[in-house]
Amino acid sequence: MTDLPPSAASLRGAVDLSALVNRPSAPAAGGESPAAAPGGTVQVPSIVLGGTDANFGEILELSRHVPVIVDLGASWAEQSRAFTVLLGRLVRSFGGRLILATVEAEANPQLAQAFRAQSVPTVAAVVAGQPVPLFAGVVAEEQLRPVLEQVLQLAAENGVTGTAIAADADPTDDEPTAEPEPAPLPPHHAEAYDAIERGDYADAISHYKTAIAQNPSDREAVAGLAQVSLLDRLQGKTLDEVRNAAAAAPDDLDAQLAVADLDLSGGHIDDAFDRLLRLFPTLDQAGRNRVRERMLDLFEVVGLDDPRVAAARRRLANLLY
């Protein structure tokens, strides 16, 4: 987990959000722009807002009044959905002193790139318009609350001490409304999540494989195995290292597979598929088999009902037959 910087000087330069600032802003959550009110309060449609490439300038402006937690996730990823529920519940428990902006990483590639989201969930804060990287991956509740408290401390040091008043809140209810808890996970899924939280991707892979062996129709386990396998392949690699290796060796299959993994993890799904599909006709049979297997894994990561998967599957079928 990334330690939070102690001062305003540390807030600058970590992530470049400039491309998302000077653009016409859409409302942060489909309503009117948030407006500061007397007494250090700001009106918002909800404590949990939907962030997009189009409306993030509005959210940056909101962060000048109330610190914003940014959750870059994926609705197709079981662990990401569950973590967003947990994060939303904790943010609400702070009574308007924090705002949560949830972002679909794949649908918002500028934000995914700006926050360097190589896996989901990736979580950051924005304080006074400046980004603060926090962590990537699932974090347990007992570890997450202290991080949010540190964000509030950092915000106070930078004069961001407002309180958000949500239009969807019940003014007579002193307790924040909690999101419903996710349904209990099957045992091997739960073990896999625990392993992912520890960063032990090999153990998570083992549990997903066991779940599939016990129930070959367990689609969540198949998707989970593809997702954690992607994380395992990228673990310990840097963006520059992967891209430089691919650029230096355009005929190296391992290097091209790695950069396709990186593209997809960062939300550049079409780029990842196109790279492998253009490479496919140049390979021998063994290489083609590897590309086909990797693409089938990546299809599971993205989701089989995604139109980009359907288009890539058709291209792959044309190349095969």
Side-chain angles (χ1 to χ4, degrees):
M1 185 180 301
T2 304
D3 291 334
L4 293 177
S7 67
S10 301
L11 289 174
R12 292 174 171 80
V15 179
D16 181 12
L17 299 180
S18 59
L20 298 164
V21 177
N22 300 316
R23 61 160 65 195
S25 297
E32 295 182 358
S33 301
T41 61
V42 59
Q43 296 289 332
V44 294
S46 176
I47 295 298
V48 178
L49 304 172
T52 67
D53 286 348
N55 74 7
F56 206 75
E58 194 75 32
I59 290 173
L60 288 175
E61 182 59 31
L62 177 60
S63 76
R64 302 183 189 280
H65 306 284
V66 182
V68 178
I69 305 299
V70 182
D71 171 25
L72 294 109
S75 58
W76 45 259
E78 205 175 71
Q79 72 270 26
S80 181
R81 292 198 309 270
F83 182 73
T84 296
V85 171
L86 168 63
L87 186 54
R89 177 166 59 81
L90 285 180
V91 166
R92 283 191 172 95
S93 75
F94 283 86
R97 296 166 62 210
L98 291 169
I99 292 290
L100 175 63
T102 62
V103 177
E104 277 285 324
E106 290 178 2
N108 297 280
Q110 286 183 282
L111 284 173
Q113 182 176 14
F115 285 104
R116 300 170 187 167
Q118 296 188 19
S119 62
V120 293
T122 290
V123 178
V126 184
V127 177
Q130 299 295 333
V132 185
L134 296 180
F135 57 86
V138 174
V139 173
E141 181 171 353
E142 60 269 20
Q143 296 173 302
L144 185 54
R145 184 174 288 277
V147 173
L148 300 181
E149 290 170 348
Q150 286 182 280
V151 171
L152 283 170
Q153 179 181 347
L154 177 65
E157 292 172 1
N158 287 276
V160 179
T161 58
T163 301
I165 305 298
D168 62 1
D170 182 353
T172 65
D173 187 1
D174 292 333
E175 293 296 324
T177 302
E179 295 281 352
E181 293 290 341
L185 295 171
H188 284 291
H189 290 240
E191 293 286 352
Y193 278 23
D194 290 343
I196 292 169
E197 185 176 321
R198 299 192 306 270
D200 189 348
Y201 299 143
D203 191 39
I205 288 169
S206 176
H207 281 291
Y208 277 130
K209 286 182 175 179
T210 301
I212 294 166
Q214 293 176 352
N215 178 12
S217 63
D218 185 344
R219 296 303 309 163
E220 292 286 358
V222 172
L225 175 61
Q227 293 158 19
V228 75
S229 296
L230 174 64
L231 296 176
D232 187 49
R233 292 194 298 269
L234 290 173
Q235 190 174 32
K237 297 178 180 178
T238 68
L239 184 149
D240 287 344
E241 172 190 323
V242 172
R243 293 207 180 282
N244 290 342
D251 297 325
D252 184 324
L253 180 54
D254 287 329
Q256 299 307 313
L257 289 171
V259 81
D261 281 346
L262 183 68
D263 281 342
L264 188 130
S265 71
H268 304 291
I269 294 169
D270 287 331
D271 290 343
F273 291 159
D274 188 60
R275 176 182 295 273
L276 297 182
L277 289 166
R278 284 187 289 106
L279 182 65
F280 187 90
T282 70
L283 301 172
D284 60 18
Q285 190 58 49
R288 291 184 179 194
N289 288 341
R290 290 186 64 196
V291 169
R292 177 181 173 277
E293 290 171 1
R294 179 62 55 83
M295 291 199 70
L296 293 178
D297 278 349
L298 298 183
F299 291 165
E300 291 287 352
V301 172
V302 177
L304 299 183
D305 57 349
D306 190 291
R308 293 166 294 189
V309 168
R313 192 186 289 277
R314 286 192 297 271
R315 288 179 62 188
L316 180 60
N318 290 335
L319 290 171
L320 287 169
Y321 307 110

